[in-house]
């Protein structure tokens, strides 16, 4: 049995007319005699609508009920799309997370897939040619519905492809592939034909929401080739795959930005062993993702600790730190949500220095102040004032000549 896995995002299933486009894409592998597993997102805007509804009801909605609520978006799109297919005489059915079943841990709102038992799926594929699977949702051992975090349908699809041993997982979206940066904010962005898992992982972690991070982790772990492409055209998209030598030839391959950042500073923390653990362990226990961390010595035996968290977690982070004020021993707690993170990414940076200094100069020439910096082997990130995000992205995109294929290692002098 040859299985093709295709995933369609929110804009692709947004209306009857776009769902008819989706149907055309599904018909291609179906007509070729493949079994097709179609993973769908909720119709565009629906997940946000449901989140807003809950937040209107209560200030801190119960996490498990929240997942029962937001997962309904995918149920609607799957049922509607299955109806369309059946109306064409295709043997299709919808499959919800608990029916597959997609088993997750019980971290409501950011659950991780632990296992997909394919027995039931293969049974369903005996009687059906197309399974329309609800993305974003799973179920935990206590049989409650869970969701996988924003953009989680990408992860559902790649996990499905890995479990069913499909050769490729096609991710259909509203852009024709992965670009050197978000094509919606930089008209010079160019499509990347092939991108290494590690690079894509950094792009996704640094904010390029075209793929959810976990989906790339799954793809890398299970060696699934991901083909990101448009629902609304037939052009070849981007293959996310194993790295090869050609990929290292380019110094910087992409620029990502993340406006979902908030900065927190603990002023005059006691500079003693164990203080970082006292601050960050309680946050880790609550699954709050701390990103950039900078420690600056200040007066005497004191230090200032600054770090970033997702905007959605700022209230909870401040509450945790306020409750621990005397245990940690700090003088003041400051926070700001008007910041964003801009990152330059490229496997070519591994064996080349000078990239960061070149970026500093380019940003300085535009009068953009850098608030924090963090680096890894293949990326450099800058925290800046949020209002300069687009300018910073365009400036760095131009600096590293991404509009014309990037800077080749040989011609680089930095
Ligand atoms: P879907 O609903 O299909 O999952 P998303 O909105 O989650 O789509 O992801 C697609 C969007 O990702 C694009 O519309 C684009 O604005 C954004 N994006 C950010 N960075 C990139 C990038 N480097 N390449 C392509 N798209 C990007
Ligand atoms: N509907 C969910 C969201 O909007 C999941 C997804 O689209 O991937 O985040
Ligand atoms: Mg998405």
């Amino acid at each position: 049995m040859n299985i093709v896995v295709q995933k369609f995002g929110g804009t692709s299933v947004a209306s009857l007319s776009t769902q008819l486009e989706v149907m055309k894409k599904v018909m291609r592998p179906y007509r070729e005699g493949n079994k097709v597993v179609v993973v769908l997102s909720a119709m565009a805007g629906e997940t946000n609508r449901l989140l807003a509804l809950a937040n209107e009801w209560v200030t801190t909605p119960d996490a498990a009920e929240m997942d029962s609520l937001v997962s309904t978006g995918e149920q609607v799109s799957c049922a509607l799309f299955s109806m369309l297919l059946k109306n064409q005489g295709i043997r299709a059915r919808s499959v919800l997370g608990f029916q597959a079943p997609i088993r997750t841990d019980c971290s409501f709102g950011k659950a991780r897939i632990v296992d997909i038992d394919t027995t039931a799926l293969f049974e369903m594929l005996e009687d059906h040619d197309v399974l329309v699977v609800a993305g974003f949702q799973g179920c935990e051992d206590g049989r409650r519905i869970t969701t996988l975090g924003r953009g989680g349908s990408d992860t559902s699809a790649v996990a499905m492809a890995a479990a069913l041993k499909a050769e490729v997982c096609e991710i259909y979206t509203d852009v024709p592939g992965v670009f050197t940066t978000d094509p919606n904010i930089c008209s010079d962005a160019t499509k990347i034909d092939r991108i290494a898992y590690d690079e894509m992982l950094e792009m996704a972690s640094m904010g390029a929401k075209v793929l959810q991070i976990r989906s790339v982790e799954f793809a890398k772990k299970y060696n699934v080739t991901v083909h990101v492409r448009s629902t609304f055209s037939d052009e070849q998209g981007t293959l996310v795959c194993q790295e090869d030598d050609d990929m290292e030839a380019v110094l910087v391959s992409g620029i990502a930005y993340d406006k979902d950042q908030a900065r927190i500073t603990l002023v005059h923390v006691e500079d003693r062993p164990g203080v970082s653990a006292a601050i960050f362990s309680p946050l880790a226990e609550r699954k709050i993702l701390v990103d950039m961390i900078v420690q600056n010595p200040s007066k005497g035996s004191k230090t200032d600790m600054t770090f970033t968290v997702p905007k959605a977690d700022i209230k909870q982070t401040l509450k945790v730190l306020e409750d621990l004020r005397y245990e940690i021993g700090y003088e003041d707690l400051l926070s700001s949500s008007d910041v964003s993170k801009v990152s330059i990414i490229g496997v070519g940076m591994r064996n080349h220095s000078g990239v960061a200094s070149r970026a500093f100069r380019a940003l300085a020439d535009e009068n953009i102040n850098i608030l924090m910096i963090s680096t890894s082997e293949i990326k450099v990130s800058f925290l800046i004032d949020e209002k300069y995000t687009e300018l910073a992205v365009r400036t760095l995109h131009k600096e590293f000549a991404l509009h014309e294929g990037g800077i080749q290692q040989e011609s680089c002098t930095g």
Side-chain angles (χ1 to χ4, degrees), residues 166-286:
E167 258 170 45
V168 181
C169 177
E170 294 185 315
I171 303 273
Y172 285 90
T173 183
D174 58 355
V175 287
V178 179
F179 280 63
T180 46
T181 192
D182 185 347
N184 288 322
I185 71 156
C186 179
S187 55
D188 282 343
T190 53
K191 194 175 73 191
I192 302 170
D193 293 333
R194 297 167 74 246
I195 184 167
Y197 292 124
D198 285 340
E199 250 171 2
M200 192 62 235
L201 214 48
E202 288 285 13
M203 290 276 273
S205 316
M206 296 304 116
K209 68 170 187 158
V210 62
L211 285 178
Q212 199 201 33
I213 308 165
R214 278 289 283 157
S215 71
V216 190
E217 285 171 0
F218 258 105
K220 183 179 175 193
K221 185 165 173 195
Y222 296 101
N223 206 11
V224 177
T225 299
V226 176
H227 186 178
V228 181
R229 58 195 311 190
S230 170
T231 302
F232 307 104
S233 81
D234 283 328
E235 68 180 285
Q236 180 76 9
T238 301
L239 293 181
V240 185
C241 53
Q242 301 278 8
E243 186 176 332
D244 64 34
D245 292 347
D246 286 355
M247 293 174 179
E248 279 219 2
V250 182
L251 185 62
V252 168
S253 8
I255 315 284
Y257 66 93
D258 183 1
K259 292 188 175 181
D260 180 30
Q261 291 280 305
R263 181 172 54 149
I264 292 178
T265 303
L266 291 153
V267 182
H268 293 171
V269 183
E270 207 51 57
D271 199 0
R272 57 172 168 80
V275 75
S276 297
I279 297 169
F280 297 118
S281 302
L283 301 180
E285 276 159 27
R286 286 162 184 82

Side-chain angles (χ1 to χ4, degrees), residues 387-402:
K387 64 175 182 271
Y388 296 121
T389 312
E390 283 79 4
L391 176 62
V393 168
R394 288 188 205 116
T395 302
L396 294 170
H397 196 268
K398 191 158 171 225
E399 179 64 29
F400 292 101
L402 290 171

